[in-house]
Amino acid sequence: MRRPQRIGDVFLVGVPLLFLAYFFAYPLGAILTKSLVANGRLDLAPFGDVFSRGTLRGAIWFTVWQATASMLLTMLVALPAAYVFARYRFRGKSLMRAAITVPFVLPTVVVGTAFLALLGPTGVVDLSGTVWLILIAHVFFNFAVVVRTVGGFWGNLDPRLEEAARMLGASRWRAFRTVTLPLLRPALAAAGSIVFLFTFTSFGVILILGGLRFSTIEVEIYRQTITYLQLPIAAALAVIQLIGVTSVLFAYSSSQRRQAIELSLRPSEEVARVPRGLSDRLVMSSVLAFTGLFLGTPLALLVGRSLRTGSGFGLDAYRSLATRTSALFVPPIEAIRNSLLIAVGATLLAVTVGMMAAVIVAHRTGLFSRAFDVLLMLPLGTSAVTIGFGFLVALGKPIDLRTSPVLLPIAHALVAIPFVVRTAVPVMRSVRQDLRDAAAMLGATPARVWRRIDLPMISRAGLIGAGFAFAVSLGEFGATSFLARPASPTLPIAIFRLLGRPGTFNEALALATILMVLTALSMFAIERFRFGEVGEF
Amino acid sequence: MRITSGARRCGGLILVLALTLTACSQDTSEPANTQTPEQITMLTHDAFAVSDGILQDFTNETGIEVQVLKSDDAGTMLNQAILTKDNPIADVVYGIDNTFLSRALSEGIFEPYTSSSLSAVPESLRAGDLATPIDYGDVCINYDKAAFDSGTPAPKTLQDLTDPVYNDMLVVEDPATSSPGLAFLLATIAKFGETGDYTWQEYWRDLVANGVKVDAGWTEAYYSDFSAASEGTRSLVVSYASSPPAEVYYSEVPLDEPPTAVITDGCFRQVEYAGILTGTDHAEAAGKLIDFMLSPEFQEDMPLNMFVFPARSDVTLPSVFAEFATVPDHPETMDPALIEQHREEWIQQWTEIVRS
Amino acid sequence: MLEVRDLAVSFEGAPFMHDVSLTVPDGTVVAVLGPSGSGKSTLLRAIAGLEPPDAGSISWNGEPLNGVAPHARGFGLMFQDYALFPHMTVGANVAFGVEGRPGADRRVAEVLEWVGLAGYEHRSVGRLSGGEQQRVALARSLAPEPRVLMLDEPVGSLDRTLRERIVPELRELFVRLQITAVYVTHDQEEAFTVADQMVILRDGTIVQTGTPEQVWSSPANAWAARFLGFSNIIGVEVAAGVATAPWGTFQAGELGDGHHQIVVREGAIKPRGPLEGTIVQRAFRGGRYLTAIEMGDGSTLEAELEDAPAVGAALTFRIDPGGVVGLPDGPA
């Protein structure tokens, strides 16, 4: 891309940097300092404590290996679906792609109950107490990451490469292994890093489904802080977690660079074809059926339970949402309104900051750009407890934002920005120079080129990012729950509260269903704006 | 929506500051109905709930508006109060219970205050002049009546739970992540002690041998495992003495009696306190709020909203509580300082026993 | 009239194109022919203003264009992979260069009809076939009536049948509309079909200029001859109008005495004569045979014969002196 002026660059880097510095780095630093610095001196004893305690060492080890196992398992289970989405064209494809993304943004508090019902003591198969329950839940939540990232990239690979290999005598498997798989590597690395990141910092799944035996760093941070009030140890654990997360993010950022290699990339509309023949149809329908069952059953269970009344099925739970339950201080319907308002605010913030950052990440190479990229992603890998409490410690002066309603959209924006960046960067990278040249040759001034060529394509990226940011904000539970909030709850908080009291279980599930529907709508809206060009997500 | 805009808050604060500055030099207290609405903030946990209009009544009486800040749970709330000690985010904190009280006191987050209504609160609940008791609840073993009959009577004591007759029936919560779970653990420690022939550790080993299940929190235990409230198979659960009345209250079909009952042996009393946070600019208004929380109006409103018992002994309970709630005569209690001292060590020991 | 004088352009930092001069009179088509890497696209981009020249000048009707931005030159450029705007319809693409002008819609309909895509305005470009995309790209560059239309391998990505049909159509369109064009290609046949003037480019510099007929009848050197498709390039000794090759002698027409590199056209080899060889390859081309004849010394001559014996048979033939062209001395 032609280098914009220096001033533009400074602005594009400056705004996101300032935002992250004040609302992420500063609170993070403040809480860690408060916990680890006594009388002006850094106290490293808590680190020693962490490594000398069996339970904590075990938690660190378990965190690493369950994240690795979850990542591998998710790849294995989701790869066939990625293939189907990449290569086949079928009715309802957009709808399905939107639907499989819904689990990703749902809070674990919603899904945990369903999973327990399905795979717990009274379920189809009793996996309670085993690590498999955790791993399967992780696959459930991260399925869409692999399908969209790997499938998206796969859908742009020229299938003729594989066909050429087969014409040269390679079996299907060998052609896949020696031609396709190496070409897919950048996308696999990207998807793997993200799944690893999310499962590394997994909290709700471990807590609700893991039972007593399993504990991760994130869970221990929670325990040390909330139950034992041991902030130094929690801080030490948070630092260890950050180090792990940062390394993964650097690896992810490298894989992104390599993806920029020019391959035989074709628009996905060309590559995808209608299934021909029996084996094609068999593969496609069995994979889609499995996907539907695997992802749909827990959700269907929740919806079904929400429709249960004392005398069969009905909308009673939904109706009572409109009446005031003092448990929540406001009618649950207002929780929907709050969540929507906050989501709009978070989306505006995230898109503004995220698009600016995306320009830098997309078009600048070098160590600074990579470090910037890592910094943008860090909030995803930071403990929610740490961020929540960091806000309290840091944001009291000069303006007291600690209990301000504006803190919620900010906190949500922090975790939504990475999604905006990740969806916008490939699109920005794909605005080809020759399109700009063609426009110039047709008489367009540089301003008009930007307005008619860059801007529409970037706007699409922005809209897609906005859709994700919106859905992420709707489902955000972690950081939100550690802030001190004015009485009006968000949807996930409301669901959590209703679940924690007698007599409001069905209402909780009704709200959860509404959350699911809103999220699905958001995901589906995104589908309308894609146009099959090269890109992830 | 009850969110007050930041601007209004700022404006109100400035006004109040100005007023308090002028009032400082005077000895008279503010008249009850001032023209300017004072605003105070109460920090509390997620389970806080009051009926419509109760807080409005307070405002009408005193001219003070209350903004409620909610945190996840008591532990989170305490952390938030401690972290912001120097620059408190609220004026009153409500919901610190006896398991956390000692820590709150040692961190010095409270200002002394003695409510005028304190005399109506039994001595056993009081805790000095820094924290005012507002309500209490008893954590007890609940059992599903339908699972027991004359052939297999329901257990009556904690010790009964180790009887093979009740094998695989009990579900408890993890004390590291659940408040009732911690309460139950403390009850067993209080009952069986740390020394002697049969310690609490041995009790728990027996429970483990008898197939006790551990869930992360009350929701999973009650709504996924407890047979009276789910398709679960466990008929004994650690819950609250107020759970049976709740079952009647929320039942879709009218009930003559609760489907569940409690074992009064081994209940642990959780007392919740309110206190004025040090550094507040609204100490007097905060005091008024605490007084209000001990008023009959507020105390009588609590049971059906938060499913707790009022601290005052002279208020009437709602009928569903009066009829169906069992209040244990001698619940287990423990000195908050002791809890603070040993909590971590006890939980860790417990974890080791149960994990094996 | 477009004039390029002594143009020098760098490529990826290193000097590459040098001493390039050409003139494109109004209403004519100049074909720039050269192998990959010869600098054809670089030349186009320099004329378009997308690449700044190191030296030399580009002018239109005497007005110098150095330093004038691409969008202000009034030139059109049709890109090799079309560069259609994916987020716009066919109509919007074609209208891009004339947006806002009165009568734009009519103009769009008009050019779409010229390229045979009438009524395509609302189609999405993503779903078009290769041939359709090419025509949209052409229509788009024609719509603003550019002073010069430059085409970069416009039919390169199409299959042969389509190419062979479209190139004459293009020529006909250019002539009918009196378009001034610079047409870049690596295919000699395309260049011959489309051009009024030809420029052969090699390694960034011009090897030969002339009309197609001129270039055809007198290639500038052996390399050009080979590039133009001539295969029989032989070194001979000429004395008194008779050329002596390693395998025999024949009349050499107007060549002077001495050593010469000559081209013997495939069509100059006629059956029945004093020369002898063996058929080693024979390919039927509908009405004629392309044959390779192995001579006594092992070298091969390629011939186009109406009637050729089978592979392995002997052939006697003569060489028509009219089909013998002497190559000027130059790098081979």
Side-chain angles (χ1 to χ4, degrees), chain A residues 250-527:
Chain A
F250 261 110
Y252 172 73
S253 167
S254 318
S255 79
Q256 289 294 287
R257 299 290 147 195
R258 277 184 254 124
Q259 200 167 354
I261 298 174
E262 198 48 50
L263 296 171
S264 317
L265 293 174
R266 293 164 55 195
S268 56
E269 280 165 354
E270 273 182 47
V271 171
R273 59 161 212 270
V274 176
R276 306 181 290 247
L278 186 61
S279 76
D280 262 7
R281 267 192 269 270
L282 215 62
V283 164
M284 193 181 87
S285 43
S286 54
V287 168
L288 289 179
F290 167 77
T291 305
L293 273 173
F294 178 63
L295 296 178
T297 315
L299 302 181
L301 215 76
L302 285 175
V303 178
R305 183 70 203 264
S306 78
L307 292 171
R308 237 201 268 178
T309 64
S311 47
F313 287 92
L315 290 172
D316 293 8
Y318 291 87
R319 269 191 281 266
S320 67
L321 284 179
T323 59
R324 206 168 179 110
T325 311
S326 58
L328 293 177
F329 228 90
V330 290
I333 281 276
E334 284 218 30
I336 299 172
R337 191 179 78 149
N338 293 339
S339 274
L340 286 174
L341 278 173
I342 293 172
V344 168
T347 303
L348 286 172
L349 259 178
V351 170
T352 311
V353 176
M355 291 298 278
M356 284 193 228
V359 174
I360 301 291
V361 172
H363 297 300
R364 304 279 171 276
T365 50
L367 190 59
F368 174 75
S369 165
R370 279 178 62 191
F372 189 58
D373 197 0
V374 169
L375 177 63
L376 289 167
M377 300 275 287
L378 265 185
L380 282 181
T382 314
S383 167
V385 182
T386 317
I387 295 185
F389 285 168
F391 279 165
L392 276 183
V393 173
L395 299 181
K397 305 177 165 85
I399 312 172
D400 191 352
L401 291 172
R402 296 170 304 172
T403 56
S404 160
V406 77
L407 210 55
L408 272 174
I410 291 177
H412 289 188
L414 277 182
V415 290
I417 286 171
F419 290 95
V420 174
V421 172
R422 292 272 74 81
T423 50
V425 163
V427 176
M428 285 183 181
R429 283 200 179 128
S430 73
V431 182
R432 293 140 41 203
Q433 185 57 36
D434 63 344
L435 291 181
R436 297 199 191 89
D437 287 346
M441 291 314 298
L442 289 165
T445 59
R448 187 155 166 252
V449 171
W450 197 81
R451 229 183 347 110
R452 298 300 309 281
I453 306 297
D454 290 89
L455 196 58
M457 303 194 67
I458 292 177
S459 312
R460 286 212 185 201
L463 281 169
I464 297 175
F468 261 101
F470 193 79
V472 165
S473 169
L474 280 181
E476 211 290 318
F477 182 69
T480 313
S481 59
F482 292 110
L483 296 174
R485 306 167 302 276
S488 29
T490 61
L491 261 179
I493 300 282
I495 297 171
F496 189 65
R497 282 195 213 161
L498 287 175
L499 279 176
R501 290 172 47 92
T504 47
F505 192 65
N506 289 357
E507 277 86 350
L509 294 183
L511 265 187
T513 306
I514 293 178
L515 176 61
M516 265 191 267
V517 168
L518 285 174
T519 312
L521 282 175
S522 196
M523 289 295 125
F524 191 57
I526 292 176
E527 290 298 312

Side-chain angles (χ1 to χ4, degrees), chain A residues 2 89 269 432 434-435 437-446 448 452-453 456-457 460 531 533, chain C residues 45 48 50 70-71 75-77 79 81 83-88 96-97 99 127 140-141 144 150:
Chain A
R2 306 240 168 80
R89 209 198 293 248
E269 280 165 354
R432 293 140 41 203
D434 63 344
L435 291 181
D437 287 346
M441 291 314 298
L442 289 165
T445 59
R448 187 155 166 252
R452 298 300 309 281
I453 306 297
M457 303 194 67
R460 286 212 185 201
F531 51 95
E533 293 292 316
Chain C
R45 290 177 68 84
L50 296 170
H71 66 268
F75 294 167
L77 178 50
F79 288 75
D81 52 4
L84 295 180
F85 306 133
H87 56 294
M88 299 184 199
F96 191 85
E99 250 170 36
R127 292 287 168 98
R140 183 177 73 175
S141 32
M150 292 177 283

Side-chain angles (χ1 to χ4, degrees), chain A residues 31 34 53 55 113 116-117 121-122 128 207-208 211-215 219-220 222-231 233 305 308-311 324-330 334 337-338 341 388-390 392-393 396-397 400 402-405 477 481-488 493 496-506, chain B residues 1-4 6 9 43 46-52 55 67-84 86-89 100 103 174-177 182 213-214 216 218-220 222-225 229-233 243 246-247 250 252-253 304-307 340 343-344 347-348 350-352 354-355:
Chain A
I31 184 80
K34 190 151 187 140
R53 286 203 219 173
T55 42
T113 329
L116 278 179
T122 54
S128 57
L207 202 62
I208 299 175
L212 205 55
R213 312 210 356 240
F214 304 109
S215 183
V219 171
E220 285 302 325
Y222 175 80
R223 283 213 186 106
Q224 292 294 329
T225 312
I226 306 299
T227 316
Y228 304 143
L229 301 163
Q230 285 272 29
L231 286 175
I233 303 233
R305 183 70 203 264
R308 237 201 268 178
T309 64
S311 47
R324 206 168 179 110
T325 311
S326 58
L328 293 177
F329 228 90
V330 290
E334 284 218 30
R337 191 179 78 149
N338 293 339
L341 278 173
F389 285 168
L392 276 183
V393 173
K397 305 177 165 85
D400 191 352
R402 296 170 304 172
T403 56
S404 160
F477 182 69
S481 59
F482 292 110
L483 296 174
R485 306 167 302 276
S488 29
I493 300 282
F496 189 65
R497 282 195 213 161
L498 287 175
L499 279 176
R501 290 172 47 92
T504 47
F505 192 65
N506 289 357
Chain B
M1 200 149 74
R2 280 175 163 264
I3 292 181
T4 338
R9 225 186 133 203
L43 178 65
D46 255 1
F48 178 76
V50 288
S51 301
D52 281 352
L55 285 181
Q67 189 197 33
V68 176
L69 284 180
K70 288 212 182 185
S71 299
D72 202 23
D73 59 12
T76 308
M77 185 180 71
L78 179 58
N79 268 300
Q80 288 171 340
I82 295 174
L83 282 172
T84 55
D86 305 322
N87 184 7
I89 52 176
F100 285 118
R103 173 70 102 132
D174 183 348
T177 49
L182 178 59
K213 182 170 200 250
V214 180
W218 179 86
T219 312
E220 294 83 56
Y222 205 83
Y223 281 119
S224 294
D225 282 318
S230 69
E231 266 107 48
T233 56
S243 296
E247 286 290 330
Y250 282 113
E252 277 143 8
V253 297
L304 289 178
N305 280 310
M306 296 191 267
F307 288 88
E340 174 63 22
R343 177 196 8 242
E344 189 172 344
I347 295 180
Q348 279 173 8
W350 175 91
T351 311
E352 266 162 54
V354 175
R355 248 194 226 184

Side-chain angles (χ1 to χ4, degrees), chain B residues 32-285:
Chain B
N33 295 316
T34 48
Q35 301 291 71
T36 55
E38 193 179 349
Q39 223 204 61
I40 59 171
T41 312
M42 175 168 73
L43 178 65
T44 182
H45 52 57
D46 255 1
F48 178 76
V50 288
S51 301
D52 281 352
I54 300 277
L55 285 181
Q56 187 56 45
D57 287 346
F58 175 70
T59 309
N60 293 342
E61 272 173 43
T62 60
I64 305 169
E65 278 188 27
V66 180
Q67 189 197 33
V68 176
L69 284 180
K70 288 212 182 185
S71 299
D72 202 23
D73 59 12
T76 308
M77 185 180 71
L78 179 58
N79 268 300
Q80 288 171 340
I82 295 174
L83 282 172
T84 55
K85 237 183 349 185
D86 305 322
N87 184 7
I89 52 176
D91 306 294
V92 174
V93 61
Y94 160 66
I96 309 247
D97 66 20
N98 44 333
T99 61
F100 285 118
L101 182 63
S102 185
R103 173 70 102 132
L105 296 175
S106 66
E107 289 279 349
I109 61 172
F110 290 136
E111 253 180 36
Y113 181 71
T114 307
S115 169
S116 43
S117 314
L118 196 57
S119 46
V121 175
E123 273 279 349
S124 55
L125 296 177
R126 299 192 210 164
D129 66 345
L130 290 169
T132 310
I134 305 292
D135 62 87
Y136 68 92
D138 294 316
V139 172
C140 305
I141 303 278
N142 279 218
Y143 65 86
D144 180 2
K145 284 190 193 167
F148 301 99
D149 53 26
S150 49
T152 321
K156 293 212 177 45
T157 66
L158 283 192
Q159 190 66 61
D160 284 347
L161 297 174
T162 59
D163 192 324
V165 156
Y166 306 111
N167 179 262
D168 281 350
M169 281 197 195
L170 177 62
V171 56
V172 304
E173 297 92 2
D174 183 348
T177 49
S178 162
S179 167
L182 178 59
F184 181 64
L185 174 60
L186 294 174
T188 61
I189 297 174
K191 190 168 184 75
F192 297 108
E194 297 197 272
T195 53
D197 291 336
Y198 192 68
T199 60
W200 68 268
Q201 288 101 327
E202 272 150 53
Y203 175 70
W204 275 97
R205 283 194 200 103
D206 287 345
L207 279 185
V208 170
N210 211 20
V212 69
K213 182 170 200 250
V214 180
D215 279 337
W218 179 86
T219 312
E220 294 83 56
Y222 205 83
Y223 281 119
S224 294
D225 282 318
F226 187 42
S227 55
S230 69
E231 266 107 48
T233 56
R234 302 269 165 169
S235 33
L236 297 163
V237 68
V238 169
S239 185
Y240 297 93
S242 57
S243 296
E247 286 290 330
V248 174
Y249 187 66
Y250 282 113
S251 171
E252 277 143 8
V253 297
L255 293 176
D256 291 327
E257 55 167 56
T260 59
V262 308
I263 303 175
T264 51
D265 180 51
C267 289
F268 188 84
R269 181 146 292 182
Q270 286 182 321
V271 185
E272 286 195 310
Y273 299 92
I276 303 181
L277 290 172
T278 45
T280 170
D281 298 319
H282 306 272
E284 218 179 295

Side-chain angles (χ1 to χ4, degrees), chain A residues 8-262:
Chain A
D9 260 24
V10 167
F11 188 68
L12 289 173
V13 170
V15 170
L17 218 50
L18 276 173
F19 182 79
L20 283 171
Y22 190 67
F23 290 112
F24 176 66
Y26 171 44
L28 190 62
I31 184 80
L32 290 178
T33 310
K34 190 151 187 140
S35 315
L36 292 172
V37 170
N39 302 325
R41 295 190 49 224
L42 181 64
D43 182 14
L44 290 177
F47 288 94
D49 286 339
V50 166
F51 286 109
S52 64
R53 286 203 219 173
T55 42
L56 296 180
R57 274 201 320 267
I60 297 176
W61 169 238
F62 180 67
T63 311
V64 173
W65 86 247
Q66 65 80 21
T68 314
S70 301
M71 172 185 79
L72 292 172
L73 192 61
T74 312
M75 304 277 254
L76 211 62
V77 172
L79 223 54
Y83 173 75
V84 166
F85 272 87
R87 285 292 153 82
Y88 295 123
R89 209 198 293 248
F90 50 89
R91 260 213 303 245
K93 187 170 175 180
S94 272
L95 200 62
M96 194 133 192
R97 186 173 24 229
I100 64 173
T101 318
V102 171
F104 182 63
V105 287
L106 285 181
T108 42
V109 69
V110 167
V111 184
T113 329
F115 257 79
L116 278 179
L118 273 175
L119 298 172
T122 54
V124 167
V125 156
D126 185 5
L127 292 176
S128 57
T130 68
V131 75
W132 286 104
L133 194 53
I134 293 177
L135 295 181
I136 294 177
H138 281 164
V139 175
F140 176 83
F141 280 107
N142 294 294
F143 193 86
V145 176
V146 175
V147 171
R148 291 183 85 116
T149 310
V150 178
F153 189 71
W154 207 337
N156 292 117
L157 278 188
D158 196 339
R160 292 178 297 193
L161 296 172
E162 220 179 276
E163 287 165 14
R166 298 191 55 211
M167 289 314 298
L168 290 165
S171 66
R172 252 189 196 220
W173 169 240
R174 183 156 164 250
F176 175 73
R177 200 169 37 89
T178 56
V179 175
T180 313
L181 216 48
L183 286 174
L184 276 182
R185 215 176 308 174
L188 290 171
S193 316
I194 297 195
V195 175
F196 188 87
L197 182 69
F198 283 126
T199 53
F200 191 78
T201 55
S202 177
F203 177 72
V205 169
I206 309 287
L207 202 62
I208 299 175
L209 300 174
L212 205 55
R213 312 210 356 240
F214 304 109
S215 183
T216 58
I217 300 179
E218 186 83 23
V219 171
E220 285 302 325
I221 293 177
Y222 175 80
R223 283 213 186 106
Q224 292 294 329
T225 312
I226 306 299
T227 316
Y228 304 143
L229 301 163
Q230 285 272 29
L231 286 175
I233 303 233
L237 285 169
V239 169
I240 294 172
Q241 186 184 55
L242 266 176
I243 293 175
V245 163
T246 312
S247 337
V248 172
L249 285 176
F250 261 110
Y252 172 73
S253 167
S254 318
S255 79
Q256 289 294 287
R257 299 290 147 195
R258 277 184 254 124
Q259 200 167 354
I261 298 174
E262 198 48 50

